[in-house]
Structures are given as C-alpha cells and as structure tokens.
C-alpha cells in the first residue's frame, strides 16, 4: 500500500482564505479589525523566522499585526508590564509570547499573565481547564490543525483508537484532549511507555509529537492507519548538508499507512493558519459576534 499524502500546505491556504473572508466580514459589517500581538524576547534565529512569518500572514489576511521585540535581558517585570498593556488594548484580540523564553523568565508565570480570552496559543491554565472539561476554550494551534486534518480525512472520529506519542503541554496533552472530545479512545505514549511499537500498531490514528527524528517506522503502524507527524527535526545528511525530517520515518511509514502528513508540508503550515483562525475567533467572542464555522474545535 502507498499512503495518501495529506497536503497541509494546501489545507492551510484554504484555512487562511476562510480567515480572510471572516476578517473582511468583520470589517464590513461591524467595523472591527482583528489584531494579533506577537512578543519575542531575545534573538533565537528559529523564533525570529517564525515571528516574521506570523507577521506577514497576519497582514495578508487583513488583520492588524503588532510585533514587540524585546532584548534577551528584559526583566520579568518589564515583560509582565507589556502583557498588561496588551491585555488592556482594545485593538489587540490575540497575544502570543513566543516560546522558549530566556532562562531567567518564568514561562508559566508569563503565559498565565495573558488575559485568557486573548490567549490565542491556548496555553493559559484557564484554557487548558476549559478544554479538559469540554467547555469553550482557546485551543492550541498545532493540535487544532491536526484535528482539522483528521476530521477532513475521516469525517467522524468517533470510536477510533488514537495513540498520541509525546506528552508536551503544547501538543501531546491538548491533542489527546481534542481526540477524546471527538470520541476517540485515546492513549498517550511517551519515553517510558512499555512495548510502544505494539501499542502504536493498535492505532487507527497515530500522532507523533516527540521531537525524535524518524523514530516511528513502518512496523509501528497498523495497515491503513492515518499518521500525523508533528515533528520538525533538522538532521545531517551523509553528503554533509542538512534536511528536515519528522518524528516518522516517512519512506517506511508511507508503505503501511492509509494516509500520512509529510515533513515539510504537512502539519507545519497548519500551525500559523490556526493561529490566525484563533485570533479571528477571539475577536468574534470579545465582540459578541457569531464565530465562522469550521475554524474552531
Ligand atoms: N514556539 C514553538 N511553537 C510555539 C507555539 O505554538 N507558540 C508559541 N508561543 N511559541 C512556540
């Protein structure tokens, strides 16, 4: 069998079109322009690329973009003061503090200082709790993108066995919550899981989010399963260059799976598209305007 390739790049472009249409409607009917503020502390090159892309895509779909670049030695008090100002600013509907933060800053404290209704990353403990209890939450962008792709592929996910490999707060745990909410039977596997290969072979849906290059191979996969690869790892090639690979060994996995996301071009592009979707959702909720269909969990 050769798996169907799930094209995240094309899917993300469709989500961005939907967001742009929603933004145009908000402007025309309600005179409101959604605004996203992104805060970057320090000079991590990968984070700078992400933030630049976020800014460009925010503007491209008609939203306002506010970038705050702070020096690596910014104090916690200074960062918290900026977050307070953004919380109070009516032009800002979404706030994202790029992670990781420099070591002297307490990430939990900083994230939990964001007003929950503006927490477009869905990392605030209020949003984590709302998601876990099945209430209306802001949902983390990468798991939301994975869910959209799974729903598109399967329609209903009800009753399917889902295994999420990885237990991070950003992907693994919220992914498991979302799958549970869609009535999957969910298992979270991690570095201490026993007989992880056999466990993964039970999965109708296998989500790999561990950050270990090509860890999941074809023999871990149930024939016909849908495989979502969240990993983005840069590895060295024998020729002395580098290349991007996922947490799944694509070549062997694609022989067994029914459908699979590639790296690059799979889940990656969905993350920023869902960030834009979350900003539109946050803007609608704060103005008591009905949210567009299909852009939330
Ligand atoms: N760093 C890597 N991924 C993310 C993300 O989704 N949100 C934030 N805030 N920082 C990140």
């Amino acid at each position: 069998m050769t798996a169907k390739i799930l094209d995240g790049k094309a899917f993300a472009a469709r989500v961005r079109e939907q967001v742009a249409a929603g933004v145009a409607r908000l402007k025309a009917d309600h005179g409101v322009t959604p605004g996203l503020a992104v805060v970057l502390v320090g000079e991590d090159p990968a984070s700078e690329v992400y933030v630049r892309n976020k800014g460009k895509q925010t503007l491209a779909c008609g939203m306002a973009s506010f970038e705050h670049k702070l020096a690596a030695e910014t104090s916690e008090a200074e960062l918290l003061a900026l977050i307070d100002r953004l919380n109070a600013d009516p032009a800002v509907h979404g706030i994202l503090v790029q992670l990781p933060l420099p070591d002297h800053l307490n990430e939990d404290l900083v994230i939990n200082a964001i007003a929950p209704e503006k927490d477009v990353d869905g990392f605030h403990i209020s949003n984590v709790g709302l998601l876990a209890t099945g209430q209306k939450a802001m949902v983390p962008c990468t798991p939301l993108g994975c869910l959209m792709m799974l729903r598109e592929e399967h329609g209903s996910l009800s009753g399917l066995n889902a295994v999420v490999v990885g237990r991070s707060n950003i992907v693994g745990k919220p992914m498991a919550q979302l799958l549970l909410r869609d009535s999957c039977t969910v298992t979270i596997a991690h570095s201490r899981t026993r007989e992880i290969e056999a466990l993964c072979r039970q999965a109708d849906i296998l989500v790999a989010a561990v950050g270990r290059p090509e860890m999941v191979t074809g023999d871990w996969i149930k024939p016909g399963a849908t495989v979502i690869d969240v990993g983005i790892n840069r590895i060295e090639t024998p020729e002395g260059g580098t290349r991007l690979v996922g947490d799944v060994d694509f070549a062997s996995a694609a022989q067994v799976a029914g459908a699979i996301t590639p790296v690059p071009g799979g889940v990656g592009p969905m993350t920023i598209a869902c960030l834009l979707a979350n900003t539109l959702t946050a803007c609608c909720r704060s103005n008591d305007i009905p949210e567009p269909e299909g852009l939330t969990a």
Side-chain angles (χ1 to χ4, degrees), residues 229-249:
D229 189 354
V230 182
I232 301 179
N233 311 288
R234 193 167 284 286
I235 61 165
E236 294 187 357
T237 61
E239 299 80 37
T242 64
R243 94 188 149 93
L244 282 185
V245 299
D247 292 347
V248 176
D249 173 43

Side-chain angles (χ1 to χ4, degrees), residues 170-231:
I170 293 182
V171 183
K173 286 183 207 160
M175 186 77 249
Q177 292 290 356
L178 288 171
L179 291 165
L180 188 59
R181 229 162 76 158
D182 270 25
S183 302
C184 291
T185 302
V186 183
T187 310
I188 302 182
H190 47 77
S191 54
R192 304 292 174 88
T193 298
R194 295 191 194 139
E195 298 183 33
I196 192 166
E197 295 92 331
L199 181 73
C200 289
R201 268 196 301 275
Q202 311 269 317
D204 303 303
I205 292 170
L206 182 60
V207 180
V210 269
R212 294 195 40 195
E214 301 177 319
M215 183 177 89
V216 175
T217 47
D219 54 331
W220 293 37
I221 295 168
K222 176 178 176 177
T226 300
V227 178
I228 304 288
D229 189 354
V230 182

Side-chain angles (χ1 to χ4, degrees), residues 70-149:
L70 307 182
E73 49 285 352
T74 298
S75 71
E76 206 158 80
E78 286 170 307
L79 180 55
L80 292 173
L82 171 60
I83 291 174
D84 275 349
R85 286 203 301 282
L86 297 172
N87 283 341
D89 185 343
V92 172
H93 304 93
I95 302 170
L96 178 146
V97 177
Q98 184 67 30
L99 302 179
L101 287 170
D103 287 345
H104 68 283
L105 299 171
N106 180 334
E107 276 183 8
D108 290 336
L109 190 81
V110 170
I111 294 302
N112 290 326
I114 298 171
E117 63 277 12
K118 295 191 179 189
D119 168 38
V120 282
D121 260 328
F123 295 163
H124 190 289
I125 46 168
S126 292
N127 282 313
V128 176
L130 290 167
L131 176 61
T133 52
Q135 300 178 69
K136 198 183 252 193
M138 295 306 303
V139 175
C141 304
T142 302
L144 177 58
C146 296
L147 184 76
M148 285 181 183
M149 295 179 88

Side-chain angles (χ1 to χ4, degrees), residues 20 23 44 51 69-70 91 105 146 160 188 229 243 258 276 281:
V23 171
D44 178 58
V51 168
K69 291 193 174 179
L70 307 182
L105 299 171
C146 296
L160 296 176
I188 302 182
D229 189 354
R243 94 188 149 93
L276 303 175
T281 299

Side-chain angles (χ1 to χ4, degrees), residues 21-34 59 61-64:
V23 171
R25 189 176 51 86
L26 272 183
K27 286 183 182 173
D29 295 354
H30 302 276
V32 180
T33 301
L59 294 172
C61 72
M63 296 189 192

